[in-house]
Every structure is written in C-alpha cells, then in structure tokens.
Amino acid sequence: MSKKKNQKLVTPEILRQAIIGSFTKLNPRYMMKNPVMFVVEIGFLISLLLSFVPGLFGDTSANARIYNIIVAVILLITVLFANFAESVAEGRGKAQAASLRKTQKDTLAHLLQEDGSTKDVMSSELKKGDVVMVSAGEIIPGDGEVIEGIASVDESAITGESAPVVRESGGDFCSVTGGTTVVSDWLKIRITSEPGNSFLDRMIALVEGASRKKTPNEIALNTLLVSLTIIFLIVIVTLYPIGLYSGVQIQMSTLIALMVCLIPTTIGGLLSAIGIAGMDRVTRFNVIAMSGKAVEACGDVDTMILDKTGTITYGNRLAADFYPVGGAKREELIRCAALTSLHDETPEGKSTLELARRLGDASEETPGSEFLEFTAQTRMSGVNLPDGTKVRKGASDAIEQYIKDLGGKIPSDLHEQVNQISSLGGTPLVVCENDRILGVIYLKDTVKAGMVERFERLRAIGIKTIMCTGDNPLTAATIAKEAGVDGFVAECKPEDKIKLIKKEQSEGKIVAMTGDGTNDAPALAQANVGLAMNSGTTAAKEAANMVDLDSDPTKILEVVEIGKQLLITRGSLTTFSIANDIAKYFAIIPAMFMQAIPQLGVLNIMNLASPYSAILSALIFNAIIIPCLIPLAMKGVKYRPMSSGKLLARNMLIFGVGGIIAPFVGIKIIDILIHPLLTLIGF
C-alpha cells in the first residue's frame, strides 16, 4: 500500500497566503457564511464605533474610550485568527493542487483518424470518445480506456508508486489516467472525459475548496451553533435592563465581550477548517472523494462489504503445508518439493520454495540438473538430477498416471489426503521421486498479512465486515474464519451484492464497499460509500463516490478511519468550545455585577484582580485559543478503535473536562500578566 504523503502543517508560502486571506475574508459578504464569527465581527464594528463615540450608549466614564479600543482590537484579532485557521486549511489544499497541476501538461496527442492515419493535436483539444495512440516514452494525454494493446504504465506522477503497472484492453485493468507515462509497448486509448473534467481536474477543484459544499453533519452543527448564538444574544440583551434595575451601568463593550465569550466562537472559527482538512487528509491518501458528503459518510459506516480475491486474500494460491503419504518422511517431501521449485517462477513455485526454506530445508541446485517447466499438456514440472533421479510435482491425476507408466504404486492414503485438501478449498500438488509418491503440497489462497488485526479494529468500533466470493461455501467458510470477518456470502453474483447492500440499508445501516469491474458498478452506486479502483473500468469509477488512485482495495479500511477521525475531531472541538464557556462565565459575570451585588463575589473563584482585567482576560483567552487549536483541527484528533460508548466517554473526559480546566488556568495567567498594565493606564 502506498504511504500517506507527508506535508508540513504550514510552509512559509502557506503562512504568507493565510495572513493575506485573514484580512481579505473580513468582507461581511464572506463572513455571513459563518454566522458565529459574523456576530463577532459586528461586535468589533460596534466596539470600534464606541471608541470614537464613547457616550453613545450612556457610557461616559474617563476610560471608556481606551476600554472600547482594547475590546475592539481583541475582537478583530479573534476574527482574524478564525480566518487564519480557514486560510491555512485552504492554503494546504491549494499547495497540493499546485503539485497536482504539475502533472497536467498540455502534451501532444496522436489522434486516430477514420482512415487509420494519426493527427497530432494538443491534449487540451481532445474530446470524449476520441481515440489516441500512445507509444513507449509518451505521456497519456487524458483519462481513458485501453481498447487495444498491452503496456507497462508509470503512474508515479499520480500515485507516488515507482513500480510500473500493466494496462491492457478488456477486463478490469483497462483504465488509464491522464498525465501517466507509457513505459513499454503501445496502447490505443479511447478518451472518457471532456476537457477540464478529468479525475485530476476534479481532484484539484476539491482540494482547492472550489467545489466543496458543506456536508449534512457540518450543516447540522452550524445550525446548532447559530441556535446557541441566538439564545445567548437574547440573554445578553436582557442583561442590560437587569443591570439598570440592579443599579449597574453595564458598558456596551462589556456586553459584547460577554456575548463573544459565551457563544461557541472556538468551534465557529475552526468548523470550516476542520471540513477542509478532512478532505485534504483523504486526498493526501491518494483517494478522490467526489464530495465532502462521501468523506463524512465514511465516518458513519456500519457495514463493510469486501471482495475476497485481491482484497482479503492475495489471489494467488500459495504453499501452506506439506503432507507426506505412503510412509514417506516429511523431510523427504520438503526436500523434493524444494528441488522442483528452484527454477519455478510461478507464485506456487516461489511460495513452495519459501515455505521449504522456513521449515529448514537447504537444498541447492546441483550442477548439470535439467529443470522442466510446467506445461498445460503434462500438467507437471520437475527436475532431472545428474545421478538419474527424476523429481516431479503436479496435479494429482497427472502424477498418478506418470507413476503408473513407470510401474510404481499409488499410496493408499493419497486420495484421502487430496480430497481433504480439495474440500477445504485448497489445491493439492502431488510430489514424487522416481516411481514413488512422497506426498502432497497444500496450496491455498492466502489471507493478506495484517487483515485479521484490521478486522478486529473495525469490530472494536462496531463495523460489521462481510466477505463476498464466488467460491463454494466450504472454501468461503475457511477463508472467512482465517481472516476473521463477521460474515460471508459464497457463490456470490453481482446481483447478490446489491441484494445484500439493500438488506443492510433497510435495517438503517450505512454500507461501504469496494469494486473495480463493470459488474461491480450497480453495487458501488447502491452503497453509501463506494470506493472504486483507478485501475478498474470507467463504469465502476463513475458509479462510485470515491476513487482510489493507488487501486488498493484494502484502503477502504483506512478511508473509514479518516471519515471517523473527521467526525471525532469536529465533535471533540465542539465539546471543548462549549465547555470553555463555563470558565468564561465565572470570569465575566462576577466582574459585571460584583460592585453592585457583593454577594456575587463567591463566583469569583479564580480571584481575578479587577472587573476590567477579568473581562479582558476572558476575551484574550477566547481569541488566542483559536490559533492554538489550528494544528489539532488540521491533523485531526488521533483516532483509536473502540466502541461508541467508550469513545464518547474518552472524548468527554479529555475535551469536556479539559475544556473546563484550560480556560480557568489560561484566564488566571492572563489576568496576572495584564493587571499591572491596566493599573498603569488607570483601570
């Protein structure tokens, strides 16, 4: 699997662009898209107005102008910090888009004419349906399907993987991506995308944020924040007449400060950045998400449907064990199996030799040996040693006939051993030395390393895994048990996958699946999260809402974790933001009314120096906590597989309790620092 691309959180260029963006985003028409921060900006404008006309709302104290200026500056900084967080997220996306654009070159394409001749045109002039010829060393001019030829293609410009991959006409490996290079041979390609609408174009638009729409979860959270803002606005408005009734003239700037501190400004300033960063993490993982909704849906997945071959298993039958028969010694069987595999380049041969070496065999090639390759006619391979010994391995019936021709005997327990391996879904390879059968090599479709642990991880967070395979029920049950999946469907046809997805969805579950073939397209479209392989067919990629440029079917496991990390980050920072308000409440409310109502002094549990320093300390903390949380919003809260209940309890403990404690400590420290300064200027 390709590794996640590393990228610095903030480069000098991103920092420069983010600082500029912090100021350009002050435009009220833009700020209105973020209601919480728009309220803060309005508070800044009112405080700024009061700085020039301090007596506008009856506030005629000598220090009113200075106090209003300080509040206005802090509010401006708060808005700038929120804009900075969003600009950093956008800057990372634009930096990635710039690197992707480097792969987009307006190259020369050899357009195939109706008379069979070719015409050289620029790749930007190609239309959907055009057919082009691409030879070794040339860049593929656009996304398309191979309709003729077979060639190695270097996709490192897109995927980061250095090893070339084979692309050929027909089947599930006919899709090619514009910007990749043909390494050998030639390909005839039918262009499948219009100019400006290739996978790279869509990827660039998404990471830049130009095509990013708010997801349902983000909209719901935004609605909650707006509701809380309106509630606190009503509360703050009522405080002014209550203060007058109590004999307290509350300054307008103080009310604005209280408003800004109590509304969820922290999450309001980071919400958009979290969403953009979530898309960025998926894209850096070489997955194109067609929308933010697709990424978010990953975090809610309940059921995951995976193909067996190539996803859970390697797809090649590999040696798993050796079973001697007819009284032969296991060491003899292993030695002869290794001798026949010394020059066997098939996956079966290589795995047989590797297993023999692991079991302690040290057989080496004897000079003068004659190696026989496997053929469809003989259905066996082997080696003739210089001393006349003949060693063979192959299909059971082929070896039996070979032994009979030599006048040898068939061991009585051979058929039993062969049938037992076949019943498990394995492939038996029989080994003989001269006219004597030594035993059977057990070949099976091997489960990929680490899959058991991955499925345990998914089970821990409540995701059910179902394996789909065309194998018989016995073979399917064996692989399912070995891999540790929760269920399986044997002898599965394309329509069975759709039926399974609909069944799970009818129970209110969110379903994810992977696929690469045309026959997977209906199921990919039906699933809530469909991850198509970039090496697969165009039909599969068009049906899915995510495309994996690395064509690694197991990546859906990581994509689900990224989706969950996005939701967890959003929820954790929301919890932290709301918990912050408790400390700010204990800082500002006593400061506002303590002089008129001394009994409220018991609420001054932080023992803040003065009403002015208490209010300004809370306001300053409210501003500086936003940039402090930018790294967490960008990288995301570290994801740990566990049940929803444990996850909620853990995040409530860390971000809920932490959100209460941090402001108490921070506000007190700020109060200690600014009180002497306020004393100097007469507060």
Side-chain angles (χ1 to χ4, degrees):
M1 176 186 298
S2 66
K3 295 179 181 179
K4 192 185 296 186
K5 298 175 185 174
N6 293 320
Q7 185 180 341
K8 289 183 180 179
L9 179 63
V10 181
T11 64
E13 178 60 23
I14 291 176
L15 179 62
R16 187 180 70 83
Q17 293 295 334
I19 292 173
I20 295 172
S22 301
F23 287 92
T24 57
K25 291 178 185 291
L26 289 174
N27 187 326
R29 287 182 296 180
Y30 184 88
M31 291 299 299
M32 287 178 69
K33 297 177 183 178
N34 188 340
V36 175
M37 299 315 299
F38 183 56
V39 168
V40 179
E41 185 174 46
I42 291 174
F44 155 68
L45 294 174
I46 294 174
S47 299
L48 185 64
L49 176 64
L50 292 173
S51 301
F52 294 100
V53 192
L56 189 62
F57 291 96
D59 187 356
T60 57
S61 61
N63 293 321
R65 186 186 299 275
I66 298 175
Y67 178 64
N68 290 334
I69 290 173
I70 295 173
V71 170
V73 169
I74 297 173
L75 292 181
L76 175 61
I77 292 172
T78 303
V79 178
L80 289 174
F81 280 159
N83 290 345
F84 180 78
E86 185 174 354
S87 296
V88 167
E90 290 178 351
R92 280 164 60 87
K94 288 177 180 177
Q96 189 173 355
S99 67
L100 287 171
R101 279 202 175 93
K102 291 179 182 178
T103 67
Q104 284 193 313
K105 300 173 183 176
D106 197 5
T107 57
L108 198 64
H110 307 303
L111 179 63
L112 197 63
Q113 304 292 298
E114 292 183 3
D115 60 3
S117 63
T118 59
K119 176 185 176 184
D120 290 345
V121 299
M122 300 309 293
S123 59
S124 57
E125 299 175 24
L126 294 175
K127 302 184 296 296
K128 185 175 182 180
D130 285 345
V131 177
V132 296
M133 293 290 296
V134 187
S135 302
E138 295 179 343
I139 295 174
I140 296 174
D143 294 351
E145 283 185 334
V146 178
I147 58 176
E148 191 177 329
I150 178 171
S152 294
V153 179
D154 178 4
E155 297 186 340
S156 58
I158 307 297
T159 67
E161 294 290 342
S162 57
V165 295
V166 175
R167 293 289 176 260
E168 57 186 321
S169 60
D172 295 338
F173 296 94
C174 62
S175 179
V176 291
T177 306
T180 57
T181 306
V182 174
V183 178
S184 67
D185 303 294
W186 57 271
L187 295 173
K188 185 185 288 186
I189 300 167
R190 179 184 290 113
I191 301 299
T192 57
S193 63
E194 296 289 353
N197 196 35
S198 67
F199 281 108
L200 265 182
D201 289 315
R202 288 150 78 177
M203 192 173 185
I204 289 169
L206 283 167
V207 297
E208 280 188 319
S211 301
R212 199 187 83 88
K213 296 180 180 178
K214 289 187 177 180
T215 62
N217 183 279
E218 198 172 347
I219 292 171
L221 184 54
N222 209 48
T223 303
L224 172 64
L225 299 183
V226 171
S227 301
L228 289 174
T229 301
I230 293 172
I231 290 170
F232 281 119
L233 182 61
I234 294 172
V235 170
I236 298 302
V237 169
T238 60
L239 276 180
Y240 190 78
I242 290 174
L244 291 177
Y245 179 79
S246 304
V248 179
Q249 177 75 43
I250 303 176
Q251 292 175 270
M252 183 58 64
S253 293
T254 298
L255 288 175
I256 292 171
L258 178 62
M259 175 71 185
V260 169
C261 286
L262 292 188
I263 64 176
T265 49
T266 305
I267 185 62
L270 296 171
L271 184 59
S272 183
I274 294 169
I276 296 171
M279 291 291 294
D280 178 57
R281 279 195 293 276
V282 172
T283 307
R284 283 187 289 121
F285 218 71
N286 266 0
V287 173
I288 301 176
M290 302 308 176
S291 67
K293 184 178 179 181
V295 180
E296 193 172 272
C298 289
D300 291 323
V301 167
D302 301 299
T303 303
M304 190 179 295
I305 298 172
L306 306 106
D307 282 329
K308 185 203 77 169
T309 306
T311 302
I312 296 174
T313 65
Y314 286 104
N316 295 320
R317 295 184 181 271
L318 308 178
D321 209 346
F322 299 99
Y323 296 99
V325 297
K329 293 183 179 180
R330 181 175 165 86
E331 292 76 14
E332 281 185 287
L333 170 60
I334 294 173
R335 178 181 60 82
C336 289
L339 286 172
T340 64
S341 304
L342 288 172
H343 281 242
D344 189 345
E345 295 301 319
T346 65
E348 295 85 353
K350 289 180 179 179
S351 65
T352 298
L353 184 61
E354 183 183 343
L355 180 59
R357 295 284 188 257
R358 287 207 307 268
L359 296 175
D361 180 77
S363 300
E364 297 294 339
E365 180 181 344
T366 305
S369 298
E370 180 189 1
F371 290 91
L372 306 174
E373 292 185 2
F374 176 87
T375 65
Q377 289 74 28
T378 62
R379 296 171 61 215
M380 67 175 76
S381 61
V383 59
N384 295 331
L385 301 177
D387 62 2
T389 302
K390 296 181 178 181
V391 185
R392 301 287 186 270
K393 74 167 184 241
S396 174
D397 55 347
I399 295 294
E400 285 185 42
Q401 187 60 51
Y402 175 77
I403 293 297
K404 288 176 182 177
D405 292 342
L406 294 176
K409 293 183 179 180
I410 307 300
S412 58
D413 56 346
L414 176 64
H415 288 169
E416 179 185 348
Q417 196 66 66
V418 168
N419 291 335
Q420 183 178 348
I421 292 173
S422 298
S423 67
L424 293 173
T427 299
L429 278 185
V430 179
V431 179
C432 69
E433 184 179 29
N434 294 325
D435 62 351
R436 179 180 172 223
I437 292 179
L438 301 177
V440 186
I441 305 171
Y442 174 24
L443 299 177
K444 69 171 185 175
D445 196 356
T446 308
V447 173
K448 290 182 177 180
M451 293 304 293
V452 175
E453 292 75 14
R454 290 191 187 199
F455 290 136
E456 285 178 354
R457 216 163 65 200
L458 291 170
R459 194 174 296 110
I461 57 177
I463 295 179
K464 181 171 71 173
T465 52
I466 301 175
M467 179 186 78
C468 290
T469 175
D471 290 335
N472 63 65
L474 187 57
T475 302
T478 303
I479 296 293
K481 183 178 180 181
E482 186 178 344
V485 294
D486 299 311
F488 66 90
V489 178
E491 298 175 345
C492 185
K493 298 183 288 294
E495 53 268 27
D496 294 330
K497 292 181 182 179
I498 298 177
K499 189 183 299 183
L500 176 61
I501 292 171
K502 288 183 176 180
K503 176 179 177 295
E504 293 291 320
Q505 289 174 333
S506 67
E507 297 172 5
K509 296 177 181 177
I510 304 297
V511 181
M513 80 157 286
T514 62
D516 59 3
T518 300
N519 60 354
D520 291 325
L524 287 168
Q526 180 65 40
N528 302 91
V529 178
L531 179 65
M533 304 299 103
N534 191 43
S535 61
T537 62
T538 301
K541 290 190 284 188
E542 291 295 337
N545 49 22
M546 286 186 166
V547 177
D548 175 22
L549 294 176
D550 294 330
S551 300
D552 180 359
T554 64
K555 195 183 285 187
I556 192 169
L557 306 176
E558 278 77 10
V559 170
V560 165
E561 290 190 350
I562 290 173
K564 285 196 173 292
Q565 186 187 38
L566 171 63
L567 296 180
I568 291 167
T569 301
R570 198 176 283 157
S572 298
L573 291 183
T574 301
T575 302
F576 185 88
S577 177
I578 294 174
N580 266 216
D581 295 342
I582 297 174
K584 296 170 196 170
Y585 171 87
F586 280 103
I588 296 181
I589 294 297
M592 291 172 61
F593 292 100
M594 208 161 45
Q595 291 180 344
I597 310 174
Q599 292 86 343
L600 286 177
V602 297
L603 295 179
N604 187 20
I605 57 180
M606 285 182 274
N607 195 29
L608 300 178
S610 70
Y612 281 114
S613 69
I615 294 167
L616 293 178
S617 296
L619 203 58
I620 291 170
F621 177 85
N622 190 67
I624 64 175
I625 196 64
I626 294 176
C628 290
L629 291 175
I630 288 177
L632 187 62
M634 295 292 102
K635 293 183 179 179
V637 175
K638 189 173 181 181
Y639 171 74
R640 289 180 173 83
M642 60 181 70
S643 65
S644 300
K646 289 182 179 178
L647 195 62
L648 178 63
R650 178 180 177 277
N651 287 339
M652 287 297 291
L653 178 65
I654 295 174
F655 294 96
V657 176
I660 294 174
I661 295 174
F664 276 99
V665 176
I667 290 171
K668 180 61 180 177
I669 292 172
I670 295 170
D671 178 73
I672 293 172
L673 294 174
I674 70 170
H675 177 62
L677 297 175
L678 293 175
T679 303
L680 285 175
I681 59 177
F683 281 92

